[in-house]
Amino acid sequence: MKEADTPSIDGEKQPLEQRMLELFRGRNGRVVSGEELGTALKVSRTAVWKHVKNLLSQGYQIESVPSRGYRFLAAPDVLTSLEITSGLHTKRIGCQISSVRETESTNLLAFRLAENSAPDGTVVIAEAQTGGKGRLGRHWESPPGVNLYCSVILRPPMSPVRAPQLTFLSAVAVARAIEEVAQLQPTIKWPNDVLLNGRKVAGLLNEMSAETDTIHCVVLGIGVNINMERGQFPNDLRQPATSLFLEKGVSINRVDFTKALLTALDVLYEDYLSHGFPGIREEWLSRSTIQGRRVSVSFGNGEMVGVVSGVDNDGALLITRGDGTQDRVLAGDVTVL
Ligand code: BT5
């Protein structure tokens, strides 16, 4: 599971090992003989052992019981494509999953895969990022083994001007996954923060490759702090941050969270392709903390103060100023006053 020079989907051996895992799991910890595995998977007993060794090298705990076979003990707490694909029933999102131990940024890796024709719905996941990206060249803290760093390649057949709507789609998907897996109530702050009790638990960085009227691909970059502990956050964050673990008080299974997120993205993306933005905008607004609030928005070289009166069809924030005039803001940082 190392990142190759030319990125590729790490799935060649996967279907067989996936079926092997499913067989083991169906036995609930009982011993399965090598012969039975070989017959079910249509491979020799030597090949069975080779695949068991592969699973062991990925951190699965499988006991060899002399003269009887193998007993599955536990799956590793790692975000491998093997673990995530097992039991994932999505139509498009996660049709291919590439998981790596470490990369500079999953968004960069996703663009490299997209250049090599990775299909709509391809997902890239890393256990750690050495150069995780926020917006405007900012850094995203990405320690190994505790969080989720993923990027989803989308190729929606639509005009590039609609691409900002997909940030709303990913924010709603993250919020739904948090509710489902951690039973917590997140809120969303325009344009790309998901918060728990006012602290940032997830950030979104959507990037696009496009020509005037055609999208080549949009990469939805999603970082969620899952089991990050207080001491793992740097002191100089722009706003208070948290993790699902810190809010909930118990650690959250990262594989379950990732599956819930990919499922939510899949449902929302299908809905978006068939019915457009209105449903997503409505859900986003219902989860937003800034509707009707007086805010200051800073962007590039300026600042604007006013009351948030909504979000338009392009995903722009609508700000009503003191004199009643309305402005549209497409990018910036919002502070509630
Ligand atoms: C974001 O930017 O919130 C977008 C973050 C996107 C990260 C994902 S991870 C997978 C994919 N691959 C990437 O390389 N990126 C995406 P922004 O709104 O600019 O917020 C960045 C600011 O959040 C930083 O300047 C810090 O102050 C703060 N920050 C950094 N790491 C954080 C963390 N883990 N949790 C909360 N806040 C953090």
Side-chain angles (χ1 to χ4, degrees):
M1 208 190 45
K2 270 214 237 94
E3 184 180 342
D5 291 333
T6 309
S8 65
I9 304 296
D10 64 340
E12 247 178 36
K13 291 181 234 87
Q14 189 169 318
L16 196 141
E17 280 163 21
Q18 198 164 329
R19 278 185 286 137
M20 186 179 259
L21 285 174
E22 272 154 23
L23 267 164
F24 276 134
R25 286 188 163 126
R27 289 308 164 87
N28 288 326
R30 288 197 301 275
V31 175
V32 192
S33 73
E35 190 180 350
E36 193 184 341
L37 284 167
T39 309
L41 302 170
K42 299 192 178 62
V43 294
S44 69
R45 284 173 68 172
T46 320
V48 165
W49 170 230
K50 200 184 99 201
H51 288 289
V52 167
K53 272 204 301 193
N54 260 331
L55 291 174
L56 288 170
S57 73
Q58 291 178 52
Y60 287 90
Q61 292 175 37
I62 300 166
E63 182 189 9
S64 289
V65 184
S67 334
R68 288 185 57 208
Y70 305 97
R71 191 202 318 270
F72 181 82
L73 299 175
D77 178 28
V78 286
L79 297 174
T80 56
S81 53
L82 198 55
E83 273 298 286
I84 295 160
T85 324
S86 173
L88 182 73
H89 302 293
T90 50
K91 188 168 168 195
R92 223 182 289 241
I93 307 295
C95 58
Q96 293 195 348
I97 299 179
S98 176
S99 54
V100 296
R101 196 158 287 160
E102 184 179 279
T103 191
E104 184 181 346
S105 149
T106 54
N107 271 28
L108 289 176
L109 190 52
F111 274 113
R112 274 158 61 200
L113 287 176
E115 276 164 22
N116 288 342
S117 341
D120 191 28
T122 300
V123 172
V124 179
I125 295 179
E127 282 288 338
Q129 297 184 115
T130 52
K133 298 194 292 175
R135 292 175 305 138
L136 308 167
R138 292 177 195 141
H139 171 72
W140 187 254
E141 198 66 27
S142 314
V146 284
N147 292 335
L148 171 65
Y149 318 110
C150 82
S151 299
V152 181
I153 299 171
L154 298 182
R155 299 185 184 277
M158 63 187 207
S159 154
V161 295
R162 289 183 58 197
Q165 297 174 342
L166 296 169
T167 303
F168 293 73
L169 187 154
S170 41
V172 170
V174 170
R176 284 190 185 182
I178 290 176
E179 260 174 20
E180 185 189 326
V181 177
Q183 294 85 44
L184 296 166
Q185 293 296 315
T187 54
I188 306 177
K189 184 168 157 239
W190 185 90
N192 69 330
D193 295 347
V194 181
L195 312 179
L196 282 171
N197 295 320
R199 297 167 189 272
K200 184 159 171 168
V201 70
L204 311 164
L205 176 67
N206 291 354
E207 299 181 290
M208 173 169 61
S209 153
E211 276 167 48
T212 330
D213 53 3
T214 320
I215 290 180
H216 297 311
C217 73
V218 174
V219 169
L220 306 184
I222 304 175
V224 186
N225 300 330
I226 299 185
N227 291 323
M228 206 165 168
E229 298 194 22
R230 181 60 57 219
Q232 292 179 293
F233 288 96
N235 296 325
D236 58 349
L237 295 179
R238 299 174 64 249
Q239 66 181 93
T242 192
S243 68
L244 298 183
F245 165 73
L246 289 172
E247 297 301 317
K248 182 88 181 160
V250 290
S251 60
I252 299 290
N253 183 300
R254 292 186 303 143
V255 174
D256 289 348
F257 182 85
T258 306
K259 284 189 197 172
L261 175 63
L262 300 187
T263 305
L265 282 168
D266 194 62
V267 170
L268 286 160
Y269 189 46
E270 291 306 318
D271 183 62
Y272 176 76
L273 292 178
S274 321
H275 303 111
F277 188 47
I280 286 164
R281 182 174 63 177
E282 210 168 290
E283 182 167 344
W284 188 94
L285 282 172
S286 74
R287 294 175 179 278
S288 157
T289 44
I290 56 173
Q291 178 74 3
R293 303 287 294 272
R294 200 171 129 77
V295 297
S296 141
V297 190
S298 56
F299 37 81
N301 45 7
E303 194 189 19
M304 175 190 297
V305 173
V307 173
V308 176
S309 46
V311 164
D312 74 8
N313 214 28
D314 297 331
L317 193 65
L318 301 174
I319 303 280
T320 305
R321 302 220 215 193
D323 61 5
T325 54
Q326 200 176 59
D327 281 296
R328 296 172 72 245
V329 189
L330 268 165
D333 286 306
V334 168
T335 309
V336 177
L337 299 174

